[in-house]
Each structure stands twice: as C-alpha cells, then as structure tokens.
Amino acid sequence: MPQTGMHSGPAGATAAVDPGDAEAVRRAAGRVRDTVEGVFAALLDVRDRTAALVAGRSPAPAGLSRSDLAELRPVLFGYLGGLIAGIGFIAAPGLLADAPWYLEWWQEDASGSPVQLLRDLDPASSAFYDYTHWGWYTGPMEGSERTICGPYVDYLCTDEYSLTLSVPVTVEGVFAGVAAADVLVRRFEGAVVPALRGVPAPAFVVNAAGRVVASTTAKWLGGSVYRGEPGFARHPVGDLPLSLVVAGTPGG
C-alpha cells in the first residue's frame, strides 16, 4: 500500500516513507511486544504461585499470614534485575490473618541486592499507604487482565521514572490481590529504542491513556500525552494495552 505520510530529514526537508518500511514498523512493534511480554510472563508466574499458596493456606484454622507469603521470596528475587527493578504481591485488604494490609514487595538496592519495601500500613496513621487507590491496583481489581501504568516518577519505590505492570491474583474466582512489577523507563528505553530507530520516521510508544512511554522524537517525549495528530497512525502492539505511533504510516 502506498505510504502518504512525510517525515523530516536532518535539514528540515521532507521525504515520503517507503512502503518497505512497514517491515521496520512490524519489527519495532515486535520488540516492544516481546519486551513487555517478558515482564508479564514473570508476573503470571508470581500470580500462579501466589494463588496456589493462598488456596493451600486459607482453609487452615489460622488462615494465611505474612510468614506464608515469605515463601514467594526466592521466586521474586530471581526476577529482580534486568528490566525489573521491583516485584511482588500486594494483598487485598483482609486477606491475611495477621496483617489487614500488606505488600510482599522487593526491589533492588544500590548494589543490586533485594531489599523489602516497607510502608506504613496502619489505617489509623496519618502516613498510611492506601495502595488500593493506585491504577496498578484498581485495574486488576476491576477486571483488567493486564495493566500498564506510567511512566511516572515513582517516589514511593524507585525515585525514578517508572512503569508499573500488574495482573490480578484470584482464587476460586475471588480477587486476592495483585502481582506487580516496576520497570525503570531508562531500562525499557534501552531495550526498545534501538528498534524504534530502525523506523525511518518519528516513532513512539504510548499506553492506553496515550501517555508516551518511549520515543525517537523530541516532539513527543516520554511522559507527554498523545491524543492524535494528522500524519501519525497507531499500530497495535500484540494484544497489549500499548500502541506504536509512527508518522506517515497507515495504522490499524
């Protein structure tokens, strides 16, 4: 199909996007898909292990406790590093017998070693951390199978520009909490921007809300919001809540 869009060259000139560059768009979308799917694969593993743990402990007289969730730690530690800077299970309020609110959440310290995130989870405290208000929690709780939040500056965990990916944990159809992971944007960009640069036109990745996640153009920087513009088209990234937006290419 002929390409009708234009892109700027180094001196501000414009040139038509070659039809053969559709393959570069597919490769770029594939790189983004594979990168994100790798994180979701880790979360699905955490989800399944957590669900089995909850199902196995909940019928006991004492119910599920924080010490039971400690069994997840070797799995969580194994996923830390690379793209994933933090990962864990966030319990639905009331799930645990000894902690009405709880996060089994681990992240890397400066040396790359696992360290547990500790927050004030006492509802009576002025510093109470009510995690049920965050999009990465409400998305899975409301039925989204895969949620991607951000990029945003994560002042609670990494103090860096981050994405949070999450999936619901359910046991016999009952919502038990969320398996989630933090991905540093700089690491995500390192994984996908080389493929985006293979597209000879401005290209960037947006989430379902239109927020830019990674980009090759200064016009659409990470964190800005894209709401559509003539000459740009969206291309699906698998069945993820992400799109690849490219100048001068017919989209799906």
Side-chain angles (χ1 to χ4, degrees), residues 166-193:
S166 57
V167 300
V169 178
T170 59
V171 178
E172 297 182 353
V174 177
F175 179 73
V178 168
D182 281 342
V183 172
L184 300 183
V185 168
R186 58 181 171 83
R187 296 181 183 177
F188 182 77
E189 289 175 331
V192 305
V193 166

Side-chain angles (χ1 to χ4, degrees), residues 90-93 100-103 119-138 141 156:
I90 301 89
W101 299 70
Y102 189 68
L103 303 90
R119 286 290 178 260
D120 188 339
L121 299 176
D122 178 2
S125 169
S126 60
F128 171 54
Y129 176 49
D130 183 355
Y131 48 75
T132 63
H133 291 169
W134 292 93
W136 51 259
Y137 187 94
T138 59
M141 181 179 65
L156 293 171

Side-chain angles (χ1 to χ4, degrees), residues 1 20 23 35 38 44 68 73 82 84 86 99 105 141 173 180 201 206 208-209 215 217 224 246:
M1 179 180 295
E23 179 59 30
T35 299
L44 293 179
D68 294 321
R73 292 177 185 178
I84 297 176
W105 185 268
M141 181 179 65
V206 297
S215 175
T217 171
S224 60
V246 182

